[in-house]
């Protein structure tokens, strides 16, 4: 089964930065809407940022101005640069891709923010 592979999570102090990366097979990356979700303990999974299949970017209000999503079409990767991290950003972050009706998820990477 084709998979999305995430990397870059970890522990950071409040105000710090982390960069998450997601590598996708070419067959998934091309033409897909791709982005990042997160899920904190006891909460529902929520959209953080994503590219639509047309290339438009969308961000959750809570991360606007602090997080930036980017994609590298040559490397089939999507990255999430997270700056000015807050304790409430702590969660498991999941890479997601949607190709027509099919959804793909990464295994998740933990982001911990200490206050």
């Amino acid at each position: 089964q084709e998979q999305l592979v995430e990397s870059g999570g970890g522990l950071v102090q409040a105000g710090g930065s982390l960069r998450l990366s997601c590598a996708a097979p070419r067959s998934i990356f091309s033409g897909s809407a791709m982005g990042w979700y997160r899920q904190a303990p006891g909460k529902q999974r929520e959209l953080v940022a994503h590219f639509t299949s047309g290339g438009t970017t969308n961000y959750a209000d809570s991360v606007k101005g602090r997080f930036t999503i980017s994609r590298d079409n040559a490397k089939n990767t999507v990255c999430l640069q997270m700056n000015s991290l807050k304790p409430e950003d702590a969660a498991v972050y999941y890479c997601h891709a949607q190709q027509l009706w099919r959804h793909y998820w990464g295994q998740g990477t933990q982001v911990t923010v200490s206050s």
Side-chain angles (χ1 to χ4, degrees):
Q1 184 176 357
E2 296 179 306
Q3 293 182 329
L4 308 178
V5 180
E6 301 129 334
S7 61
L11 171 65
V12 66
Q13 287 188 330
S17 299
L18 283 174
R19 184 176 179 86
L20 306 182
S21 294
C22 173
R26 184 70 183 173
S27 59
I28 294 176
F29 189 85
S30 298
S32 293
M34 291 195 66
W36 294 90
Y37 285 70
R38 67 187 180 188
Q39 188 167 18
K43 295 187 177 181
Q44 289 189 331
R45 192 171 296 189
E46 62 175 359
L47 175 69
V48 178
H50 81 135
F51 283 99
T52 67
S53 57
T56 302
T57 55
N58 292 298
Y59 293 90
D61 288 341
S62 60
V63 307
K64 284 180 180 177
R66 300 186 298 120
F67 291 12
T68 302
I69 190 170
S70 61
R71 63 190 293 164
D72 186 332
N73 293 331
K75 296 181 178 179
N76 301 331
T77 58
V78 174
C79 294
L80 185 68
Q81 177 66 41
M82 305 186 293
N83 298 328
S84 302
L85 282 159
K86 304 175 181 180
E88 52 263 42
D89 294 318
V92 178
Y93 283 69
Y94 296 91
C95 183
H96 171 259
Q98 181 178 352
Q99 196 174 55
L100 298 178
W101 63 90
R102 300 189 68 175
H103 293 262
Y104 302 88
W105 293 94
Q107 78 284 0
T109 184
Q110 179 72 49
V111 171
T112 304
V113 184
S114 63
S115 57

